[in-house]
Amino acid sequence: MTDQTRPLSDSELPTFDRPVEIIENPYANANRSYTTQTHLFNEAIINKYNRSGPRYTSYPTALEFAPIAEGMEARVLAEKDPRVPVSLYFHIPFCRHLCYYCGCNKIITKKNSDSGDYLAYLFAEIRHKRSLMQGDPIVEQVHFGGGTPTFLTDDELVKLWNFLQTQFTFSDKPTADYSIEIDPRELRPTTLEILRGLGFNRVSFGVQDLQEKVQIAVNRVQSEEMIRGVMTEARRLGFHSINIDLIYGLPHQTVDSMRNTVERIIAISPDRLSVFNYAHLPERFKGQRQINEADLPSPADKLTMLGNTIHALTDAGYQYIGIDHFAKPDDELAIAQREGKLHRNFQGYTTHGNCDLLGFGVSSISQIGLHILQNPTDLSDYQNLINAGKLPAVKVISARLPDLLRRYVIMNLLCHDYIDFKDVNARFSIDPMTYFIDEIRKLGEMQADKLVDMDAKGIRVLPKGRLLGRNVAMVFDTYLASKEGNRFSKVI
C-alpha cells in the first residue's frame, strides 16, 4: 500500500495518459452546452453562492507553499523527465506607469537600464537551471508576463529570444504557443513586427475599459483608436490569437458604460477575452489607495455588468470557457475544451497542460512533476540569490497521491464541467463514489439548485452552475477549511 504521507517517486506516479481500456475521451463534449450556453447567468443563484475561493491555477494552491530545503530545486531539475515537454514563463516586473487597480508583482520605474540589468540575471538563472536538466526537452509554450514585458527594448527582446534558442529546442509544430502580454501604451512601432519575426504567435492586450473617465480614475488612459490600431497591426502580421483583458467594477463604471465598452470590444473582435472582477483591497495593494472607494459601482451594479457582459459575448458567438475566460468557437481554447483536452495551470486555461512549467525571474513559479516552486517576490532577494550562484526558488509544494487525485478532479470540473467516475477509477484505483462520499453529500444542495447533476457515472456541472465552477471545485479542496479569513477573491 502506498504511504500517502510522503511525496511519490516517479515510479509510483499514476498515469495521466488516457487509460487504454477507455476507448473514448470521457471529457470530449462532456458539456453539450458549450455552444448553446443557456442559463449561464442566474442572479439569485449567484447571490446565494457568491463567496471567496481559490482560482485553482494549481492544487494545492499557492497558500500551501512552504520554505524549500537546501538543494531541493537542483534535485527537482536534475530528476525532470526529459521526455516531458516544457512551457517557459518569464516575469518582467517593470512598468513605466502605475495602474491603480493592479495587484501584480511589479516595479514602477522609468530607468531604461533596469531592464538590461534584469536581463543579465535572467540569463544567469536560465543557464544554471538548464545545466542541471537532462536531455533535450522540447519547448512547446513560452509566455512573457509582467509587469510590462515590452518594457524590454526591441534589442533586448531579440537578445533574450536568441539566447533561449541556444539553451532549448523549440517546437516547430503549428500547435506551439509563444505569447506575450502587451500594454498598448508602451508598444513601439517596430515591436509587434519584431515579435512576430521571432516566432511569437499570440498576444494579449490590456484594455480594461474604453471610457475615458474610468481610464483617468485608474491612471491608464488609452484611446479606442490606439486599441484598434494595435489589433489591426497584429492581425496583419499573422498573430493567430489575440486576447483582450477587461475589468468590471472599476471606479466610475456604470451598467451602461460597461455595456458600451463591451459592445465596442465585440466590434473589434478579439479571439479571446478575459473579463476580470476588480477586487478592491487597498490594505494589500498600495496603488489601490489612489482609488476613491465612493467611486466604485455597487455590488448589485457589478453583478448586472457581469450578466450583461456574459449575454453580450455569448450572443456574439463567444464560447464561455470558464471562470472569466471567453473565446471564439474556432480558437484553440474553445476547440480544446470541446475535445476534452483543456488544462489549467499558473498561466490560466491552456492547451499545453502536458508540459512541465519552468518559471524565470522574480516571483515566477515553476511546476515540475510533483513539485511547485516559487522564486522570491522581492527583486533584491532574487538578485542576491543569483549573485551568490544559487538557484532562486524559496518556496515549494510537493504533491502527494491524494493531492494528485483531487487536482485531477478539480481541474476537470473547471475545464470540462465533468468528472467521469470510470476514468478516475482507472487512473487512481479508487471507487469515487465511496472515496468522495462526503463531497457528494455536500454537493446535494447544489444538485437541488440544479447547478450539478450526479449519478453512478459521474458529476456534471450544469449550465446554470458553470459560473460557479469554483464553488463546485471547493467541495473537493481538503485544505480550504483550515484557511482563516478572506484570503481569496469572490468567485463572481
Side-chain angles (χ1 to χ4, degrees), residues 25-145:
N25 182 341
Y27 303 104
N29 288 310
N31 192 328
R32 304 294 177 178
S33 68
Y34 289 150
T35 52
T36 59
Q37 305 189 109
T38 55
H39 310 301
L40 273 178
F41 186 83
N42 184 301
E43 185 172 348
I45 287 295
I46 288 172
N47 279 322
K48 177 178 178 179
Y49 287 96
N50 194 13
R51 54 173 288 203
S52 299
R55 295 177 61 81
Y56 293 114
T57 51
S58 71
Y59 185 83
T61 70
L63 289 186
E64 305 310 317
F65 272 125
I68 193 168
E70 183 75 25
M72 183 175 182
E73 185 176 11
R75 291 194 299 273
V76 170
L77 289 165
E79 294 170 2
K80 177 195 153 26
D81 186 343
R83 297 168 298 178
V84 176
V86 293
S87 171
L88 308 180
Y89 173 77
F90 298 89
H91 190 76
I92 313 299
F94 306 110
C95 297
R96 296 188 191 280
H97 310 280
L98 173 64
C99 300
Y100 297 154
Y101 56 80
C102 184
C104 298
N105 184 288
K106 60 194 175 296
I107 297 169
I108 309 302
T109 179
K110 295 185 184 297
K111 288 176 58 181
N112 293 330
S113 60
D114 285 347
S115 58
D117 295 341
Y118 186 71
L119 212 58
Y121 285 97
L122 281 182
F123 283 13
E125 182 185 3
I126 294 164
R127 284 193 195 95
H128 195 168
K129 287 183 174 178
R130 186 66 185 93
S131 70
L132 296 169
M133 295 166 57
Q134 300 180 41
D136 189 23
I138 301 298
V139 174
E140 291 189 354
Q141 185 178 44
V142 176
H143 186 74
F144 286 17

Side-chain angles (χ1 to χ4, degrees), residues 385-427:
L385 287 167
I386 299 296
N387 285 334
K390 296 182 178 180
L391 290 166
V394 292
K395 297 179 182 178
V396 67
I397 299 170
S398 294
R400 296 174 171 83
L401 182 56
D403 297 327
L404 298 177
L405 166 60
R406 290 178 181 274
R407 177 190 298 172
Y408 187 75
V409 169
I410 286 170
M411 296 308 172
N412 272 296
L413 287 170
L414 291 175
C415 291
H416 303 118
D417 302 320
Y418 182 57
I419 188 68
D420 183 278
F421 287 163
K422 182 179 178 182
D423 172 57
V424 173
N425 173 264
R427 293 173 187 272

Side-chain angles (χ1 to χ4, degrees), residues 187-325:
L187 191 60
R188 296 170 293 273
T190 54
T191 303
L192 276 177
E193 186 168 5
I194 287 171
L195 290 169
R196 188 70 187 102
L198 292 174
F200 284 87
N201 52 27
R202 189 164 66 82
V203 288
S204 180
F205 294 118
V207 175
Q208 323 316 349
D209 193 283
L210 290 178
Q211 311 298 326
E212 186 177 16
K213 187 175 183 180
V214 176
Q215 293 179 353
I216 292 171
V218 299
N219 198 37
R220 190 184 179 101
V221 178
Q222 52 195 3
S223 68
E224 181 177 349
E225 181 182 10
M226 177 188 292
I227 304 303
R228 286 183 176 274
V230 297
M231 288 280 293
T232 299
E233 179 67 0
R235 286 202 179 96
R236 183 188 72 80
L237 292 168
F239 286 92
H240 69 235
S241 183
I242 303 172
N243 178 79
I244 278 181
D245 290 344
L246 297 178
I247 300 177
Y248 67 96
L250 293 174
H252 298 299
Q253 274 182 342
T254 66
V255 170
D256 288 340
S257 76
M258 185 64 186
R259 181 189 292 113
N260 179 264
T261 286
V262 172
E263 289 173 353
R264 290 154 68 188
I265 291 297
I266 289 172
I268 294 173
S269 193
D271 302 288
R272 303 178 187 178
L273 288 106
S274 301
V275 184
F276 300 109
N277 171 21
Y278 171 63
H280 190 60
L281 301 168
E283 67 281 2
R284 289 178 56 188
F285 304 114
K286 186 177 179 180
Q288 293 187 0
R289 298 170 196 170
Q290 303 296 318
I291 292 176
N292 184 353
E293 197 163 341
D295 295 334
L296 297 174
S298 68
D301 281 352
K302 284 181 67 177
L303 199 55
T304 302
M305 291 177 198
L306 174 62
N308 291 345
T309 299
I310 291 168
H311 289 310
L313 291 176
T314 54
D315 286 349
Y318 285 90
Q319 180 174 312
Y320 176 61
I321 302 299
I323 303 186
D324 37 36
H325 283 62

Side-chain angles (χ1 to χ4, degrees), residues 164-177:
L164 292 175
Q165 308 300 311
T166 70
Q167 301 295 305
F168 296 96
T169 299
F170 280 60
S171 172
D172 58 1
K173 295 180 180 178
T175 54
D177 183 352

